Amino acid sequence: MRIDAITTFPRMYDSVMQDSIMKRAQEFGLLEFHAHDLRDWTHDRHRTTDDDPYGGGQGLLMTCPPIFEAYDAVASEGAKPHVVFLAPTGVPFAQEVAQRLSTKDRLMFICGHYEGIDERAYALADECISLGDYVLTSGELASMVVIDAVVRLIPGVLGDDMSAVDESFGDDGLLEYPQYTRPASYRGMDVPPVLLSGDHGKVAAWRREQALLRTARLRPDLLESAALTERERAFLLSLHDVDVPDAR
């Protein structure tokens, strides 16, 4: 996969893209990442990318000519990219969005800054994504979150492909079960005996039950679309502190 970011602050990506999983993905040839400085497509000596909004108002807006010129230049370097803007008007970001984006051959993130972006620039967008109902200083931070969630789903990036499936918000829609490692006992807190039993069937059953319990108590909204068997639904209904939605 190739990912391009059009940004006024390309160095913001350095620490994220040059460490850990993102670095390994690039070293293995699974990811090609480029951060492009939007100022390279400006034509004044101050390399201006923003201006006052028509009609007045607070703050500055990113002007659209550099964004269109940057898109034209970068998009021409290969296959047509799937263009993503990070904006409050976008669809809420969730695991299924990350999974869908991970199947694309090429992504381009156009990052806003200042008060916002000239509305005409959104003509370039294939989709807009919102991380949530809050305001960030820049689209760069939001794009890094999306990039991280997407890249780790590319086959081969995590080494063990199942590690991207058997976790929270995976295919079954549940939160992940609790996990433990050595030591078996620490400050009076013990690892559940079933995990030390060596019985893989019992371990799998315990993990599924714990995932159900954790989801029901911490994120019951996820049960609306979770893949539950009738037996699992009956198990949850037997709990007095859990409200289980009707089967669909």
CSV table of all heavy atoms in Angstrom, one decimal, residues 130-193:
chain,number,residue,atom,x,y,z
A,130,SER,N,-14.3,11.4,10.7
A,130,SER,CA,-14.2,12.1,12.0
A,130,SER,C,-13.8,11.1,13.1
A,130,SER,O,-14.3,10.0,13.2
A,130,SER,CB,-15.5,12.7,12.4
A,130,SER,OG,-15.5,13.2,13.7
A,131,LEU,N,-12.8,11.5,13.9
A,131,LEU,CA,-12.4,10.7,15.0
A,131,LEU,C,-13.4,10.7,16.2
A,131,LEU,O,-13.4,9.8,17.0
A,131,LEU,CB,-11.0,11.0,15.5
A,131,LEU,CG,-9.8,10.7,14.6
A,131,LEU,CD1,-8.5,10.9,15.4
A,131,LEU,CD2,-9.9,9.3,14.1
A,132,GLY,N,-14.1,11.8,16.3
A,132,GLY,CA,-15.1,11.9,17.4
A,132,GLY,C,-15.5,13.4,17.5
A,132,GLY,O,-15.1,14.2,16.8
A,133,ASP,N,-16.4,13.6,18.5
A,133,ASP,CA,-17.0,14.9,18.7
A,133,ASP,C,-16.1,15.8,19.6
A,133,ASP,O,-16.4,16.1,20.7
A,133,ASP,CB,-18.4,14.8,19.3
A,133,ASP,CG,-19.3,14.0,18.4
A,133,ASP,OD1,-19.1,14.0,17.2
A,133,ASP,OD2,-20.3,13.4,18.9
A,134,TYR,N,-14.9,16.1,19.1
A,134,TYR,CA,-14.0,17.0,19.7
A,134,TYR,C,-13.1,17.6,18.7
A,134,TYR,O,-13.1,17.2,17.5
A,134,TYR,CB,-13.2,16.3,20.8
A,134,TYR,CG,-12.4,15.1,20.3
A,134,TYR,CD1,-11.2,15.2,19.7
A,134,TYR,CD2,-13.0,13.8,20.3
A,134,TYR,CE1,-10.5,14.1,19.2
A,134,TYR,CE2,-12.3,12.7,19.9
A,134,TYR,CZ,-11.1,12.8,19.3
A,134,TYR,OH,-10.4,11.7,18.9
A,135,VAL,N,-12.4,18.7,19.1
A,135,VAL,CA,-11.6,19.4,18.1
A,135,VAL,C,-10.1,19.2,18.3
A,135,VAL,O,-9.6,19.3,19.5
A,135,VAL,CB,-11.9,21.0,18.2
A,135,VAL,CG1,-11.1,21.7,17.2
A,135,VAL,CG2,-13.4,21.2,17.9
A,136,LEU,N,-9.4,18.9,17.3
A,136,LEU,CA,-7.9,18.8,17.4
A,136,LEU,C,-7.3,20.0,16.7
A,136,LEU,O,-7.9,20.7,15.9
A,136,LEU,CB,-7.4,17.5,16.6
A,136,LEU,CG,-7.8,16.2,17.3
A,136,LEU,CD1,-7.4,15.1,16.3
A,136,LEU,CD2,-7.1,16.0,18.6
A,137,THR,N,-6.0,20.2,17.0
A,137,THR,CA,-5.3,21.3,16.5
A,137,THR,C,-5.1,21.1,15.0
A,137,THR,O,-5.1,22.1,14.2
A,137,THR,CB,-3.9,21.4,17.1
A,137,THR,OG1,-4.1,21.6,18.5
A,137,THR,CG2,-3.1,22.6,16.6
A,138,SER,N,-4.9,19.9,14.5
A,138,SER,CA,-4.6,19.7,13.1
A,138,SER,C,-5.1,18.3,12.7
A,138,SER,O,-5.4,17.4,13.4
A,138,SER,CB,-3.1,19.7,12.9
A,138,SER,OG,-2.5,18.6,13.5
A,139,GLY,N,-5.3,18.2,11.3
A,139,GLY,CA,-5.7,17.0,10.7
A,139,GLY,C,-4.5,15.9,10.7
A,139,GLY,O,-4.8,14.7,10.6
A,140,GLU,N,-3.3,16.4,10.9
A,140,GLU,CA,-2.2,15.5,10.9
A,140,GLU,C,-2.3,14.5,12.1
A,140,GLU,O,-2.1,13.3,11.8
A,140,GLU,CB,-0.9,16.3,11.1
A,140,GLU,CG,-0.4,17.0,9.9
A,140,GLU,CD,-1.1,18.4,9.7
A,140,GLU,OE1,-1.8,18.8,10.7
A,140,GLU,OE2,-0.8,19.0,8.7
A,141,LEU,N,-2.7,14.9,13.3
A,141,LEU,CA,-2.8,14.0,14.4
A,141,LEU,C,-3.9,13.0,14.1
A,141,LEU,O,-3.7,11.8,14.3
A,141,LEU,CB,-3.2,14.8,15.7
A,141,LEU,CG,-2.1,15.7,16.2
A,141,LEU,CD1,-2.6,16.6,17.3
A,141,LEU,CD2,-0.9,14.8,16.7
A,142,ALA,N,-5.0,13.4,13.6
A,142,ALA,CA,-6.1,12.5,13.3
A,142,ALA,C,-5.7,11.5,12.2
A,142,ALA,O,-6.0,10.3,12.3
A,142,ALA,CB,-7.4,13.3,12.8
A,143,SER,N,-5.0,12.0,11.2
A,143,SER,CA,-4.6,11.1,10.1
A,143,SER,C,-3.6,10.0,10.6
A,143,SER,O,-3.7,8.8,10.1
A,143,SER,CB,-3.9,11.8,8.9
A,143,SER,OG,-2.6,12.3,9.3
A,144,MET,N,-2.8,10.3,11.6
A,144,MET,CA,-1.9,9.3,12.1
A,144,MET,C,-2.6,8.2,12.8
A,144,MET,O,-2.2,7.0,12.7
A,144,MET,CB,-0.9,10.0,13.1
A,144,MET,CG,0.1,10.8,12.4
A,144,MET,SD,1.3,11.5,13.6
A,144,MET,CE,1.4,13.2,13.0
A,145,VAL,N,-3.7,8.5,13.5
A,145,VAL,CA,-4.5,7.5,14.1
A,145,VAL,C,-5.1,6.6,13.1
A,145,VAL,O,-5.1,5.3,13.2
A,145,VAL,CB,-5.6,8.1,15.0
A,145,VAL,CG1,-6.6,7.1,15.5
A,145,VAL,CG2,-5.0,8.9,16.1
A,146,VAL,N,-5.7,7.1,12.0
A,146,VAL,CA,-6.3,6.3,11.0
A,146,VAL,C,-5.2,5.5,10.3
A,146,VAL,O,-5.5,4.3,10.0
A,146,VAL,CB,-7.0,7.2,9.9
A,146,VAL,CG1,-7.6,6.4,8.8
A,146,VAL,CG2,-8.1,8.0,10.6
A,147,ILE,N,-4.1,6.1,10.0
A,147,ILE,CA,-3.0,5.3,9.3
A,147,ILE,C,-2.6,4.2,10.1
A,147,ILE,O,-2.4,3.0,9.6
A,147,ILE,CB,-1.8,6.3,9.0
A,147,ILE,CG1,-2.2,7.3,7.9
A,147,ILE,CG2,-0.6,5.5,8.5
A,147,ILE,CD1,-1.2,8.4,7.7
A,148,ASP,N,-2.4,4.4,11.4
A,148,ASP,CA,-2.0,3.3,12.3
A,148,ASP,C,-3.0,2.1,12.3
A,148,ASP,O,-2.6,1.0,12.2
A,148,ASP,CB,-1.7,3.8,13.7
A,148,ASP,CG,-1.2,2.7,14.6
A,148,ASP,OD1,-2.0,1.9,15.2
A,148,ASP,OD2,0.0,2.7,14.9
A,149,ALA,N,-4.3,2.5,12.4
A,149,ALA,CA,-5.3,1.5,12.5
A,149,ALA,C,-5.4,0.7,11.2
A,149,ALA,O,-5.7,-0.5,11.1
A,149,ALA,CB,-6.7,2.1,12.8
A,150,VAL,N,-5.2,1.4,10.0
A,150,VAL,CA,-5.3,0.8,8.7
A,150,VAL,C,-4.1,-0.1,8.4
A,150,VAL,O,-4.2,-1.3,8.0
A,150,VAL,CB,-5.4,1.9,7.6
A,150,VAL,CG1,-5.2,1.3,6.2
A,150,VAL,CG2,-6.7,2.5,7.7
A,151,VAL,N,-2.9,0.4,8.7
A,151,VAL,CA,-1.6,-0.3,8.3
A,151,VAL,C,-1.5,-1.6,9.0
A,151,VAL,O,-1.1,-2.6,8.5
A,151,VAL,CB,-0.4,0.6,8.5
A,151,VAL,CG1,0.9,-0.2,8.3
A,151,VAL,CG2,-0.4,1.7,7.5
A,152,ARG,N,-1.9,-1.6,10.3
A,152,ARG,CA,-1.7,-2.9,11.1
A,152,ARG,C,-2.6,-4.0,10.6
A,152,ARG,O,-2.5,-5.2,10.9
A,152,ARG,CB,-2.0,-2.6,12.6
A,152,ARG,CG,-3.4,-2.2,12.9
A,152,ARG,CD,-3.5,-1.7,14.3
A,152,ARG,NE,-2.9,-2.5,15.3
A,152,ARG,CZ,-3.4,-3.6,15.8
A,152,ARG,NH1,-4.6,-3.9,15.5
A,152,ARG,NH2,-2.8,-4.3,16.8
A,153,LEU,N,-3.6,-3.7,9.7
A,153,LEU,CA,-4.5,-4.6,9.2
A,153,LEU,C,-4.0,-5.2,7.8
A,153,LEU,O,-4.6,-6.2,7.3
A,153,LEU,CB,-5.9,-4.1,8.9
A,153,LEU,CG,-6.7,-3.7,10.2
A,153,LEU,CD1,-8.0,-3.0,9.9
A,153,LEU,CD2,-6.9,-4.9,11.1
A,154,ILE,N,-3.0,-4.6,7.3
A,154,ILE,CA,-2.4,-5.1,6.0
A,154,ILE,C,-1.8,-6.5,6.3
A,154,ILE,O,-0.9,-6.6,7.2
A,154,ILE,CB,-1.4,-4.2,5.5
A,154,ILE,CG1,-2.0,-2.8,5.1
A,154,ILE,CG2,-0.7,-4.7,4.2
A,154,ILE,CD1,-1.0,-1.8,4.7
A,155,PRO,N,-2.1,-7.5,5.6
A,155,PRO,CA,-1.5,-8.9,5.8
A,155,PRO,C,0.0,-8.8,5.8
A,155,PRO,O,0.6,-8.3,4.9
A,155,PRO,CB,-2.1,-9.7,4.6
A,155,PRO,CG,-3.3,-9.0,4.2
A,155,PRO,CD,-3.1,-7.6,4.5
A,156,GLY,N,0.6,-9.4,6.9
A,156,GLY,CA,2.0,-9.5,7.0
A,156,GLY,C,2.6,-8.4,7.9
A,156,GLY,O,3.7,-8.6,8.4
A,157,VAL,N,1.9,-7.3,8.1
A,157,VAL,CA,2.4,-6.2,8.9
A,157,VAL,C,2.7,-6.7,10.4
A,157,VAL,O,3.7,-6.4,11.0
A,157,VAL,CB,1.5,-5.0,8.9
A,157,VAL,CG1,2.0,-4.0,9.9
A,157,VAL,CG2,1.6,-4.4,7.5
A,158,LEU,N,1.7,-7.4,11.0
A,158,LEU,CA,1.9,-7.8,12.4
A,158,LEU,C,2.6,-9.1,12.6
A,158,LEU,O,2.8,-9.6,13.7
A,158,LEU,CB,0.5,-7.9,13.0
A,158,LEU,CG,-0.3,-6.5,13.1
A,158,LEU,CD1,-1.6,-6.8,13.9
A,158,LEU,CD2,0.5,-5.5,13.9
A,159,GLY,N,3.0,-9.7,11.5
A,159,GLY,CA,3.6,-11.0,11.6
A,159,GLY,C,2.6,-12.1,11.7
A,159,GLY,O,2.5,-13.0,10.8
A,160,ASP,N,1.9,-12.2,12.7
A,160,ASP,CA,0.8,-13.2,12.9
A,160,ASP,C,-0.5,-12.5,12.5
A,160,ASP,O,-1.0,-11.7,13.3
A,160,ASP,CB,0.8,-13.7,14.4
A,160,ASP,CG,-0.3,-14.6,14.7
A,160,ASP,OD1,-1.0,-15.0,13.7
A,160,ASP,OD2,-0.5,-15.0,15.8
A,161,ASP,N,-1.0,-12.9,11.4
A,161,ASP,CA,-2.2,-12.2,10.9
A,161,ASP,C,-3.4,-12.4,11.8
A,161,ASP,O,-4.3,-11.5,11.8
A,161,ASP,CB,-2.6,-12.8,9.5
A,161,ASP,CG,-1.6,-12.3,8.4
A,161,ASP,OD1,-0.9,-11.3,8.7
A,161,ASP,OD2,-1.6,-12.9,7.4
A,162,MET,N,-3.4,-13.4,12.6
A,162,MET,CA,-4.6,-13.6,13.5
A,162,MET,C,-4.6,-12.6,14.7
A,162,MET,O,-5.6,-12.3,15.3
A,162,MET,CB,-4.5,-15.0,14.1
A,162,MET,CG,-5.0,-16.1,13.2
A,162,MET,SD,-6.6,-15.8,12.4
A,162,MET,CE,-7.6,-15.9,13.9
A,163,SER,N,-3.4,-11.9,14.9
A,163,SER,CA,-3.4,-10.9,16.0
A,163,SER,C,-4.2,-9.7,15.7
A,163,SER,O,-4.6,-9.0,16.5
A,163,SER,CB,-1.9,-10.6,16.3
A,163,SER,OG,-1.3,-10.0,15.2
A,164,ALA,N,-4.5,-9.5,14.4
A,164,ALA,CA,-5.3,-8.4,14.0
A,164,ALA,C,-6.8,-8.7,14.0
A,164,ALA,O,-7.7,-7.9,13.9
A,164,ALA,CB,-4.9,-7.9,12.6
A,165,VAL,N,-7.1,-10.0,14.1
A,165,VAL,CA,-8.5,-10.5,14.1
A,165,VAL,C,-9.0,-10.7,15.6
A,165,VAL,O,-10.1,-10.3,15.9
A,165,VAL,CB,-8.6,-11.8,13.3
A,165,VAL,CG1,-10.0,-12.4,13.4
A,165,VAL,CG2,-8.2,-11.6,11.9
A,166,ASP,N,-8.1,-11.4,16.4
A,166,ASP,CA,-8.5,-11.8,17.7
A,166,ASP,C,-8.3,-10.6,18.7
A,166,ASP,O,-7.4,-10.8,19.6
A,166,ASP,CB,-7.7,-13.0,18.1
A,166,ASP,CG,-8.3,-13.7,19.4
A,166,ASP,OD1,-9.4,-13.4,19.7
A,166,ASP,OD2,-7.5,-14.4,20.0
A,167,GLU,N,-8.9,-9.5,18.5
A,167,GLU,CA,-8.8,-8.4,19.4
A,167,GLU,C,-10.1,-7.6,19.4
A,167,GLU,O,-11.0,-7.9,18.7
A,167,GLU,CB,-7.6,-7.5,19.0
A,167,GLU,CG,-7.7,-7.0,17.6
A,167,GLU,CD,-6.4,-6.3,17.2
A,167,GLU,OE1,-5.4,-6.4,17.9
A,167,GLU,OE2,-6.4,-5.6,16.2
A,168,SER,N,-10.1,-6.5,20.3
A,168,SER,CA,-11.3,-5.7,20.4
A,168,SER,C,-11.8,-5.2,19.0
A,168,SER,O,-11.0,-4.8,18.2
A,168,SER,CB,-11.1,-4.6,21.3
A,168,SER,OG,-10.9,-5.0,22.6
A,169,PHE,N,-13.1,-5.2,18.8
A,169,PHE,CA,-13.8,-4.7,17.6
A,169,PHE,C,-13.4,-5.5,16.4
A,169,PHE,O,-13.5,-5.1,15.3
A,169,PHE,CB,-13.4,-3.2,17.3
A,169,PHE,CG,-13.5,-2.3,18.5
A,169,PHE,CD1,-12.4,-1.8,19.1
A,169,PHE,CD2,-14.7,-2.1,19.1
A,169,PHE,CE1,-12.5,-1.0,20.3
A,169,PHE,CE2,-14.8,-1.3,20.2
A,169,PHE,CZ,-13.7,-0.7,20.8
A,170,GLY,N,-13.0,-6.8,16.6
A,170,GLY,CA,-12.7,-7.7,15.5
A,170,GLY,C,-14.0,-8.2,14.9
A,170,GLY,O,-15.1,-7.6,15.0
A,171,ASP,N,-13.9,-9.3,14.2
A,171,ASP,CA,-15.0,-9.8,13.3
A,171,ASP,C,-16.3,-10.1,14.2
A,171,ASP,O,-17.4,-10.0,13.7
A,171,ASP,CB,-14.6,-11.0,12.6
A,171,ASP,CG,-13.6,-10.7,11.5
A,171,ASP,OD1,-13.4,-9.5,11.1
A,171,ASP,OD2,-12.9,-11.6,11.0
A,172,ASP,N,-16.1,-10.5,15.4
A,172,ASP,CA,-17.3,-10.8,16.2
A,172,ASP,C,-17.9,-9.6,16.9
A,172,ASP,O,-19.0,-9.7,17.5
A,172,ASP,CB,-16.9,-11.9,17.3
A,172,ASP,CG,-15.9,-11.4,18.3
A,172,ASP,OD1,-15.5,-10.3,18.2
A,172,ASP,OD2,-15.5,-12.3,19.1
A,173,GLY,N,-17.2,-8.4,16.8
A,173,GLY,CA,-17.8,-7.2,17.4
A,173,GLY,C,-17.7,-7.0,18.9
A,173,GLY,O,-18.3,-6.1,19.4
A,174,LEU,N,-17.0,-7.9,19.6
A,174,LEU,CA,-16.8,-7.8,21.0
A,174,LEU,C,-15.5,-7.2,21.4
A,174,LEU,O,-14.6,-7.1,20.7
A,174,LEU,CB,-16.9,-9.2,21.6
A,174,LEU,CG,-18.2,-10.0,21.4
A,174,LEU,CD1,-18.1,-11.4,22.0
A,174,LEU,CD2,-19.4,-9.3,21.9
A,175,LEU,N,-15.5,-6.7,22.7
A,175,LEU,CA,-14.2,-6.3,23.3
A,175,LEU,C,-13.4,-7.5,23.5
A,175,LEU,O,-13.9,-8.6,23.7
A,175,LEU,CB,-14.4,-5.6,24.6
A,175,LEU,CG,-15.2,-4.2,24.5
A,175,LEU,CD1,-15.3,-3.7,25.9
A,175,LEU,CD2,-14.5,-3.2,23.6
A,176,GLU,N,-12.1,-7.3,23.5
A,176,GLU,CA,-11.2,-8.5,23.7
A,176,GLU,C,-11.2,-8.9,25.2
A,176,GLU,O,-11.4,-8.1,26.1
A,176,GLU,CB,-9.7,-8.1,23.4
A,176,GLU,CG,-8.8,-9.2,23.3
A,176,GLU,CD,-7.4,-8.8,22.8
A,176,GLU,OE1,-7.1,-7.6,22.7
A,176,GLU,OE2,-6.6,-9.7,22.4
A,177,TYR,N,-11.0,-10.2,25.4
A,177,TYR,CA,-10.9,-10.8,26.7
A,177,TYR,C,-9.7,-10.3,27.5
A,177,TYR,O,-8.7,-9.8,26.9
A,177,TYR,CB,-10.8,-12.3,26.6
A,177,TYR,CG,-9.8,-12.8,25.6
A,177,TYR,CD1,-8.5,-12.9,25.9
A,177,TYR,CD2,-10.2,-13.2,24.3
A,177,TYR,CE1,-7.5,-13.3,25.0
A,177,TYR,CE2,-9.3,-13.6,23.4
A,177,TYR,CZ,-8.0,-13.6,23.7
A,177,TYR,OH,-7.0,-14.0,22.8
A,178,PRO,N,-9.6,-10.4,28.8
A,178,PRO,CA,-8.5,-10.0,29.6
A,178,PRO,C,-7.3,-10.9,29.3
A,178,PRO,O,-7.5,-12.1,29.0
A,178,PRO,CB,-8.9,-10.2,31.1
A,178,PRO,CG,-10.4,-10.3,31.0
A,178,PRO,CD,-10.8,-10.8,29.7
A,179,GLN,N,-6.1,-10.4,29.3
A,179,GLN,CA,-4.9,-11.1,29.1
A,179,GLN,C,-3.8,-11.0,30.2
A,179,GLN,O,-3.8,-9.9,30.8
A,179,GLN,CB,-4.3,-10.7,27.7
A,179,GLN,CG,-5.2,-11.0,26.5
A,179,GLN,CD,-4.5,-10.9,25.2
A,179,GLN,OE1,-3.7,-11.8,24.8
A,179,GLN,NE2,-4.7,-9.8,24.5
A,180,TYR,N,-3.0,-12.0,30.3
A,180,TYR,CA,-2.0,-12.0,31.4
A,180,TYR,C,-0.7,-12.6,30.9
A,180,TYR,O,-0.7,-13.4,30.0
A,180,TYR,CB,-2.5,-12.8,32.6
A,180,TYR,CG,-3.8,-12.4,33.2
A,180,TYR,CD1,-5.0,-12.8,32.6
A,180,TYR,CD2,-3.9,-11.6,34.3
A,180,TYR,CE1,-6.2,-12.4,33.1
A,180,TYR,CE2,-5.1,-11.2,34.8
A,180,TYR,CZ,-6.3,-11.6,34.2
A,180,TYR,OH,-7.5,-11.2,34.7
A,181,THR,N,0.4,-12.2,31.6
A,181,THR,CA,1.7,-12.8,31.3
A,181,THR,C,2.4,-13.0,32.6
A,181,THR,O,1.9,-12.7,33.7
A,181,THR,CB,2.5,-12.0,30.3
A,181,THR,OG1,3.7,-12.7,29.9
A,181,THR,CG2,2.9,-10.6,30.8
A,182,ARG,N,3.7,-13.5,32.6
A,182,ARG,CA,4.4,-13.7,33.8
A,182,ARG,C,4.6,-12.4,34.6
A,182,ARG,O,4.8,-11.4,34.0
A,182,ARG,CB,5.8,-14.4,33.5
A,182,ARG,CG,5.6,-15.8,32.9
A,182,ARG,CD,7.0,-16.3,32.6
A,182,ARG,NE,6.9,-17.7,32.0
A,182,ARG,CZ,6.8,-17.9,30.7
A,182,ARG,NH1,6.7,-16.9,29.8
A,182,ARG,NH2,6.7,-19.2,30.3
A,183,PRO,N,4.7,-12.5,36.0
A,183,PRO,CA,4.6,-13.7,36.8
A,183,PRO,C,3.1,-14.1,37.0
A,183,PRO,O,2.2,-13.3,36.8
A,183,PRO,CB,5.2,-13.3,38.1
A,183,PRO,CG,4.9,-11.8,38.2
A,183,PRO,CD,5.0,-11.3,36.7
A,184,ALA,N,2.9,-15.4,37.4
A,184,ALA,CA,1.6,-15.9,37.6
A,184,ALA,C,0.9,-15.3,38.8
A,184,ALA,O,-0.4,-15.2,38.9
A,184,ALA,CB,1.6,-17.4,37.8
A,185,SER,N,1.7,-14.8,39.8
A,185,SER,CA,1.1,-14.1,40.9
A,185,SER,C,1.9,-12.8,41.2
A,185,SER,O,3.2,-12.9,41.2
A,185,SER,CB,1.2,-15.0,42.2
A,185,SER,OG,0.6,-14.3,43.3
A,186,TYR,N,1.2,-11.7,41.4
A,186,TYR,CA,2.0,-10.4,41.7
A,186,TYR,C,1.1,-9.6,42.6
A,186,TYR,O,0.0,-9.2,42.3
A,186,TYR,CB,2.2,-9.7,40.3
A,186,TYR,CG,3.0,-8.5,40.5
A,186,TYR,CD1,4.4,-8.5,40.8
A,186,TYR,CD2,2.5,-7.2,40.4
A,186,TYR,CE1,5.1,-7.4,41.0
A,186,TYR,CE2,3.2,-6.1,40.5
A,186,TYR,CZ,4.6,-6.1,40.8
A,186,TYR,OH,5.3,-5.0,41.0
A,187,ARG,N,1.7,-9.2,43.7
A,187,ARG,CA,1.1,-8.4,44.7
A,187,ARG,C,-0.3,-8.8,45.1
A,187,ARG,O,-1.3,-8.0,45.2
A,187,ARG,CB,1.1,-6.9,44.2
A,187,ARG,CG,2.5,-6.3,44.1
A,187,ARG,CD,2.4,-4.8,43.9
A,187,ARG,NE,3.8,-4.3,43.8
A,187,ARG,CZ,4.1,-3.0,43.8
A,187,ARG,NH1,3.2,-2.1,43.9
A,187,ARG,NH2,5.4,-2.6,43.7
A,188,GLY,N,-0.5,-10.1,45.2
A,188,GLY,CA,-1.7,-10.7,45.6
A,188,GLY,C,-2.7,-10.9,44.5
A,188,GLY,O,-3.9,-11.3,44.7
A,189,MET,N,-2.3,-10.5,43.3
A,189,MET,CA,-3.2,-10.7,42.1
A,189,MET,C,-2.7,-11.9,41.3
A,189,MET,O,-1.6,-11.9,40.9
A,189,MET,CB,-3.2,-9.4,41.3
A,189,MET,CG,-3.8,-8.2,42.0
A,189,MET,SD,-3.7,-6.7,41.0
A,189,MET,CE,-1.9,-6.3,41.1
A,190,ASP,N,-3.6,-12.9,41.2
A,190,ASP,CA,-3.3,-14.1,40.5
A,190,ASP,C,-3.9,-14.2,39.1
A,190,ASP,O,-5.0,-13.7,38.8
A,190,ASP,CB,-3.7,-15.3,41.3
A,190,ASP,CG,-3.0,-15.4,42.7
A,190,ASP,OD1,-1.9,-14.9,42.8
A,190,ASP,OD2,-3.7,-15.9,43.6
A,191,VAL,N,-3.1,-14.9,38.2
A,191,VAL,CA,-3.6,-15.2,36.9
A,191,VAL,C,-4.7,-16.2,37.0
A,191,VAL,O,-4.6,-17.2,37.8
A,191,VAL,CB,-2.5,-15.7,36.0
A,191,VAL,CG1,-3.1,-16.2,34.7
A,191,VAL,CG2,-1.4,-14.6,35.8
A,192,PRO,N,-5.9,-16.1,36.3
A,192,PRO,CA,-6.9,-17.1,36.4
A,192,PRO,C,-6.4,-18.5,36.2
A,192,PRO,O,-5.6,-18.7,35.2
A,192,PRO,CB,-7.9,-16.7,35.3
A,192,PRO,CG,-7.7,-15.2,35.2
A,192,PRO,CD,-6.2,-15.0,35.4
A,193,PRO,N,-6.7,-19.5,37.1
A,193,PRO,CA,-6.1,-20.8,36.9
A,193,PRO,C,-6.3,-21.5,35.6
A,193,PRO,O,-5.5,-22.3,35.1
A,193,PRO,CB,-6.8,-21.6,38.1
A,193,PRO,CG,-7.2,-20.5,39.1
A,193,PRO,CD,-7.5,-19.3,38.2
